[in-house]
Amino acid sequence: MDLGFCNVVLVKEENTRFRGWLVRRLCYFLWSLEQRIPPCQDAPQKIMESTRVQNVISGRVPGGTGEGQVPDLVKKEVQRILGHIQAPIHPFLLRLFSWALLRFLNCVFLNVQLHKGQMKMVHKAAQAQGLPLVLLSTHKSLLDGILLPFVLLSQGLGVLRVAWDPRTCSPTLRALLKKLGGLFLPQEANLTLDSPEGVLARAVVHAAVEQLLVSRQPLLIFLEEHPGAQGPRLSALGQTWLGLVVQAVQVGIIPDAMLVPVAITYDLVPDAPCDVYHALAPLGLWTGALAVLRSLRGWGHSPRVCVRVHLAQPFSLQEYTINARSCWGSRQTLEQLLQPIVLGQCTVVPDTEKEQEWTPATGPLLAFKEEDQLLVRRLSRHVLNASVTSSAVMSTAIMATLLLFKHQKGVFLSQLLGEFSWLTEETLLRGFDVGFSGQLRCLVQHTLSLLRAHVALLRVHQGDLLVVPRPGPSFTHLARLSAELLPAFLSEAVGACAVRGLLAGRMPPEGPWELQGIELLSQNELYRQILLLLHLLPQDLLLLQPCQSSYCYCQEVLDRLIQCGLLVAEETPGSRPACDTGRQRLSAKLLWKPSGDFTDSDSDDFEEAEGRYFRLSQQSRCPDFFLFLCRLLSPLLKAFAQAATFLHRGQLPDTESGYTEQLLQFLQATAQEEGFFECADQNLAISAIWTFRDLGVLQQTPSPAGPMLCLSPTFTSRENQEKLEQFIRQFICS
């Protein structure tokens, strides 16, 4: 509380306008009655009168439904589509739901933390500019779509319109959520561009979003796929809704919009029904009610979790659009960038942006120009990067990282206390927030109680506790939790794996640290290895800002390795000392560039790095820290390496889902033999297959049963398959 945080679900007598003993017992109910809910406007009539819808009705748009049809029938069709998208907000139902949700959240969560200064910042941005707010959030749980609107309603932001995924909700639940402010994309909007029904549905969706923005109602869009979804991280539906906002600004419906990156993190993501995570069963009212009852039944028998909601700095969509278009450069596919190097046909690594789009464009987004589609995809990555960077690291992520990457065979509690404190300090030093506080021993014990299903606590004779991760599937769960910490150490982890790849060709990996410290590492070689690894790793993991060139990121990685003490500058004979800041060659080439210049001309600075050399530091803490950083990326890299091993064993051609199942079974069998259970994850298998497809290892061929995966002619030879595996394994630290 002293740092400006508030517990949103802690409602007392002071939060109402009344006082007395009866108020203390009815404060939840009175609080829900006092929430400000703006009156419902005549949105359906305004949507019907909008220019887009009228053009379709009158048949002035090619393919419009109005051609040859009675306008009254079209108007009824517009009303039907609008009923699928939204419904008028029901104030009484919203207040009743807020009261019930407040009681439920107090039973399930220990607290829901929000910083008052961040909320004040968002309020100030909305009032000063007079622009609609569009909140773009991460997506960790199905509960996010209910929790975030409740939090922001309680802080006076008004009723939040939430863009829900219709696949996750039954028709009955969709009807309820629409009365609480939910928005759903109609199925007709995904029809082909020349379909009359699709043209009309997209016009109605555009008009609904435009009317929402004109009335300055805040809109919440999830940029990540719903929890449990197998596939790309960035949500196709989220990009569609964001594209509608971008289009409204571009055509001048509103002058601008304020975009607010939002992050939500949990100690543990609330359990969801099993069928939610498997494909086709949407969440219904009865299923949701049973999940609520199950959570309430477990109340008091299990420790409650904490939640942190973070609001990052709002920024102007119009300003971003202008700046983003000025720094677009050339792009190449992964096959063009890496395949010649993997096969040994080339040694030069292009300093070019990688073209890798795993999130498919849906109907409304396909109707945009290609340039606007690229703008929406880049904006999505930019905002998601801001959300992830500003999100708090929870205690379970730190504990899972320690147990998985430093103490798989077990650790005493007394030692774990020191390790937990060390990793927390390292996280804070990198500018990341943590979502916990309190006495160290109590905090560690609380975290272990949350992870009790995945760790074993053994009491030893000296009164200490031995903490041992449970083998098997628990490793996979710990790996998913530890992924929340990876963004804080991603630059150092990429740099450490690049150094490992550079040393792999010079000495055996089991060599002593002192022997590896003798090797001189040139800056050019380091840049090359970092670029190779950047191209190999999926963009969904890196989430690099589109305005940042590869060269700038290489320099950032190198700076991080120097700052954390792993690399020290080595002055070679005849070279200019590293500490020499003399103004040399200033007349020939300026050392400083304008901040907006992120073009490929930055790659010219590789030439200036020829005389700069580094060594591995010989400090006592460096070997363990270097190994820790390398292991942060090991689940993904090991999955890629095992996928390369599996190329000559898999049954191809096969469908993508069939080959994914084959690879997952191979990863699970290998995990049983070698103990690398953190690699046996379906999302890692999918990432490996899609990366190999982009790399030109696998290719899709049409067939009557649908697209089939098969080996490309280049990688049918065992020799090239081994080259691919060796290329990946050079970055893995055993």
Side-chain angles (χ1 to χ4, degrees), residues 80-112:
R80 185 190 68 80
I81 295 173
L82 188 58
H84 282 295
I85 300 173
Q86 63 182 22
I89 294 176
H90 200 293
F92 173 76
L93 187 61
L94 185 58
R95 296 184 193 279
L96 181 63
F97 187 79
S98 298
W99 168 77
L101 183 62
L102 184 58
R103 300 195 68 87
F104 170 73
L105 294 177
N106 274 281
C107 294
V108 175
F109 297 126
L110 189 62
N111 55 53
V112 179

Coordinates of all heavy atoms in Angstrom, one line a residue, residues 80-112:
R80 N -30.3 -8.5 -37.5 CA -29.9 -9.8 -37.0 C -28.4 -9.9 -36.8 O -27.9 -10.4 -35.7 CB -30.3 -10.9 -38.0 CG -30.1 -12.3 -37.6 CD -30.3 -13.3 -38.7 NE -29.3 -13.1 -39.8 CZ -28.1 -13.6 -39.7 NH1 -27.7 -14.3 -38.7 NH2 -27.2 -13.4 -40.7
I81 N -27.6 -9.4 -37.7 CA -26.1 -9.4 -37.6 C -25.7 -8.6 -36.4 O -24.8 -9.0 -35.6 CB -25.5 -8.9 -38.9 CG1 -25.7 -9.8 -40.0 CG2 -23.9 -8.7 -38.7 CD1 -25.3 -9.3 -41.4
L82 N -26.3 -7.4 -36.2 CA -26.0 -6.6 -35.1 C -26.3 -7.3 -33.7 O -25.6 -7.1 -32.8 CB -26.7 -5.2 -35.2 CG -26.4 -4.1 -34.2 CD1 -24.9 -3.8 -34.3 CD2 -27.2 -2.9 -34.4
G83 N -27.4 -8.1 -33.7 CA -27.7 -8.8 -32.5 C -26.6 -9.9 -32.2 O -26.4 -10.2 -31.0
H84 N -25.9 -10.4 -33.2 CA -24.8 -11.3 -33.0 C -23.6 -10.6 -32.4 O -22.8 -11.2 -31.7 CB -24.4 -12.0 -34.3 CG -25.4 -13.1 -34.7 ND1 -25.5 -14.3 -33.9 CD2 -26.2 -13.3 -35.7 CE1 -26.4 -15.1 -34.5 NE2 -26.9 -14.5 -35.6
I85 N -23.4 -9.3 -32.8 CA -22.3 -8.6 -32.4 C -22.4 -8.0 -30.9 O -21.5 -8.2 -30.1 CB -22.0 -7.4 -33.3 CG1 -21.8 -7.9 -34.7 CG2 -20.8 -6.5 -32.9 CD1 -21.7 -6.8 -35.8
Q86 N -23.5 -7.4 -30.6 CA -23.6 -6.7 -29.3 C -25.1 -6.7 -28.9 O -26.0 -7.0 -29.7 CB -23.0 -5.3 -29.4 CG -23.8 -4.4 -30.3 CD -23.2 -3.0 -30.4 OE1 -22.0 -2.8 -30.1 NE2 -23.9 -2.0 -30.9
A87 N -25.3 -6.2 -27.7 CA -26.7 -6.0 -27.2 C -26.6 -4.8 -26.2 O -25.5 -4.5 -25.7 CB -27.2 -7.2 -26.5
P88 N -27.7 -4.1 -26.0 CA -27.7 -3.0 -25.0 C -27.3 -3.5 -23.7 O -27.7 -4.6 -23.2 CB -29.2 -2.5 -25.1 CG -29.7 -3.0 -26.4 CD -29.1 -4.3 -26.7
I89 N -26.5 -2.7 -23.0 CA -26.1 -3.1 -21.6 C -27.2 -3.0 -20.7 O -28.0 -2.1 -20.7 CB -24.9 -2.1 -21.2 CG1 -23.7 -2.4 -22.1 CG2 -24.6 -2.4 -19.8 CD1 -22.6 -1.4 -21.8
H90 N -27.3 -4.0 -19.8 CA -28.4 -4.1 -18.9 C -27.9 -3.7 -17.5 O -27.1 -4.4 -16.8 CB -28.9 -5.6 -18.8 CG -30.3 -5.7 -18.2 ND1 -30.5 -5.4 -16.8 CD2 -31.5 -6.1 -18.7 CE1 -31.8 -5.6 -16.6 NE2 -32.4 -6.0 -17.7
P91 N -28.2 -2.4 -17.0 CA -27.6 -1.9 -15.8 C -27.8 -2.8 -14.6 O -26.9 -3.0 -13.8 CB -28.2 -0.5 -15.7 CG -28.6 -0.2 -17.0 CD -29.0 -1.4 -17.7
F92 N -29.1 -3.2 -14.4 CA -29.4 -4.0 -13.2 C -28.6 -5.3 -13.2 O -28.0 -5.8 -12.2 CB -30.9 -4.3 -13.1 CG -31.2 -5.3 -12.0 CD1 -31.2 -4.9 -10.7 CD2 -31.5 -6.6 -12.3 CE1 -31.5 -5.7 -9.6 CE2 -31.8 -7.5 -11.3 CZ -31.8 -7.1 -9.9
L93 N -28.5 -6.0 -14.4 CA -27.8 -7.3 -14.5 C -26.3 -7.0 -14.3 O -25.6 -7.8 -13.6 CB -28.0 -7.9 -15.9 CG -27.5 -9.3 -16.1 CD1 -28.1 -10.3 -15.1 CD2 -27.7 -9.7 -17.5
L94 N -25.8 -5.9 -14.7 CA -24.4 -5.6 -14.6 C -24.1 -5.3 -13.1 O -23.0 -5.8 -12.6 CB -24.0 -4.4 -15.4 CG -22.5 -4.0 -15.4 CD1 -21.7 -5.1 -15.9 CD2 -22.3 -2.7 -16.3
R95 N -24.9 -4.6 -12.4 CA -24.7 -4.4 -10.9 C -24.8 -5.7 -10.1 O -24.0 -6.0 -9.3 CB -25.7 -3.4 -10.4 CG -25.6 -2.0 -11.0 CD -26.6 -1.1 -10.3 NE -26.7 0.2 -11.1 CZ -25.9 1.2 -11.1 NH1 -24.8 1.1 -10.3 NH2 -26.1 2.3 -11.8
L96 N -25.7 -6.5 -10.5 CA -25.9 -7.8 -9.8 C -24.7 -8.7 -10.1 O -24.2 -9.4 -9.1 CB -27.2 -8.5 -10.3 CG -27.5 -9.9 -9.7 CD1 -27.7 -9.7 -8.2 CD2 -28.7 -10.5 -10.3
F97 N -24.2 -8.7 -11.3 CA -23.1 -9.5 -11.6 C -21.8 -9.0 -10.9 O -21.0 -9.8 -10.5 CB -22.9 -9.5 -13.2 CG -21.8 -10.4 -13.7 CD1 -22.0 -11.8 -13.8 CD2 -20.5 -9.9 -14.0 CE1 -21.0 -12.6 -14.2 CE2 -19.5 -10.7 -14.4 CZ -19.7 -12.1 -14.5
S98 N -21.7 -7.7 -10.8 CA -20.5 -7.1 -10.1 C -20.5 -7.5 -8.7 O -19.4 -7.8 -8.1 CB -20.5 -5.6 -10.3 OG -20.4 -5.2 -11.6
W99 N -21.7 -7.5 -8.1 CA -21.8 -7.9 -6.6 C -21.4 -9.3 -6.5 O -20.6 -9.7 -5.6 CB -23.2 -7.6 -6.1 CG -23.5 -8.3 -4.8 CD1 -23.1 -7.8 -3.6 CD2 -24.2 -9.5 -4.6 NE1 -23.5 -8.7 -2.6 CE2 -24.2 -9.7 -3.2 CE3 -24.8 -10.4 -5.4 CZ2 -24.8 -10.8 -2.6 CZ3 -25.4 -11.5 -4.8 CH2 -25.4 -11.7 -3.4
A100 N -21.9 -10.2 -7.3 CA -21.6 -11.7 -7.2 C -20.1 -11.9 -7.5 O -19.4 -12.7 -6.8 CB -22.5 -12.5 -8.2
L101 N -19.6 -11.2 -8.5 CA -18.2 -11.4 -8.9 C -17.2 -10.9 -7.8 O -16.2 -11.5 -7.5 CB -17.9 -10.6 -10.2 CG -16.5 -10.7 -10.8 CD1 -16.2 -12.2 -11.1 CD2 -16.3 -9.9 -12.0
L102 N -17.6 -9.8 -7.1 CA -16.8 -9.3 -6.0 C -16.7 -10.3 -4.9 O -15.6 -10.6 -4.3 CB -17.4 -8.0 -5.5 CG -16.6 -7.3 -4.4 CD1 -15.2 -6.9 -4.8 CD2 -17.4 -6.0 -3.9
R103 N -17.8 -11.0 -4.6 CA -17.7 -12.0 -3.5 C -16.9 -13.2 -4.0 O -16.1 -13.8 -3.2 CB -19.2 -12.5 -3.2 CG -20.1 -11.4 -2.7 CD -21.3 -12.0 -2.0 NE -21.0 -12.7 -0.8 CZ -20.9 -12.1 0.4 NH1 -21.1 -10.8 0.6 NH2 -20.6 -12.8 1.5
F104 N -17.1 -13.6 -5.3 CA -16.3 -14.7 -5.8 C -14.8 -14.4 -5.8 O -14.0 -15.3 -5.4 CB -16.8 -15.0 -7.2 CG -16.0 -16.0 -7.9 CD1 -16.0 -17.4 -7.6 CD2 -15.1 -15.6 -9.0 CE1 -15.2 -18.3 -8.3 CE2 -14.3 -16.5 -9.7 CZ -14.4 -17.9 -9.3
L105 N -14.4 -13.3 -6.2 CA -13.0 -12.9 -6.3 C -12.3 -12.9 -5.0 O -11.2 -13.3 -4.8 CB -12.8 -11.6 -7.0 CG -13.2 -11.5 -8.5 CD1 -13.0 -10.1 -9.0 CD2 -12.4 -12.5 -9.3
N106 N -13.1 -12.5 -3.9 CA -12.5 -12.5 -2.6 C -12.3 -13.9 -2.0 O -11.5 -14.1 -1.2 CB -13.4 -11.7 -1.6 CG -13.1 -10.2 -1.7 OD1 -12.2 -9.7 -1.0 ND2 -13.9 -9.4 -2.4
C107 N -13.1 -14.8 -2.5 CA -12.9 -16.2 -2.1 C -11.8 -16.9 -2.8 O -11.1 -17.7 -2.3 CB -14.2 -17.0 -2.4 SG -15.6 -16.5 -1.4
V108 N -11.5 -16.5 -4.1 CA -10.5 -17.2 -4.9 C -9.2 -16.6 -4.8 O -8.2 -17.3 -4.8 CB -11.0 -17.2 -6.4 CG1 -10.0 -17.9 -7.3 CG2 -12.3 -18.0 -6.5
F109 N -9.1 -15.2 -4.8 CA -7.8 -14.5 -4.8 C -7.5 -13.9 -3.5 O -8.3 -13.4 -2.8 CB -7.8 -13.4 -5.9 CG -8.0 -14.0 -7.3 CD1 -9.0 -13.5 -8.1 CD2 -7.2 -15.0 -7.8 CE1 -9.2 -14.0 -9.4 CE2 -7.4 -15.5 -9.1 CZ -8.4 -15.0 -9.9
L110 N -6.2 -13.9 -3.2 CA -5.7 -13.2 -2.0 C -5.8 -11.7 -2.1 O -6.2 -11.0 -1.2 CB -4.3 -13.6 -1.7 CG -3.6 -13.2 -0.4 CD1 -4.4 -13.8 0.8 CD2 -2.2 -13.6 -0.3
N111 N -5.4 -11.2 -3.3 CA -5.6 -9.8 -3.7 C -5.5 -9.7 -5.2 O -5.0 -10.5 -5.9 CB -4.6 -8.9 -3.0 CG -3.2 -9.4 -3.2 OD1 -2.7 -9.5 -4.4 ND2 -2.4 -9.6 -2.2
V112 N -6.0 -8.6 -5.7 CA -5.9 -8.2 -7.1 C -5.3 -6.8 -7.1 O -5.9 -5.8 -6.7 CB -7.3 -8.1 -7.8 CG1 -7.1 -7.7 -9.2 CG2 -8.0 -9.5 -7.7

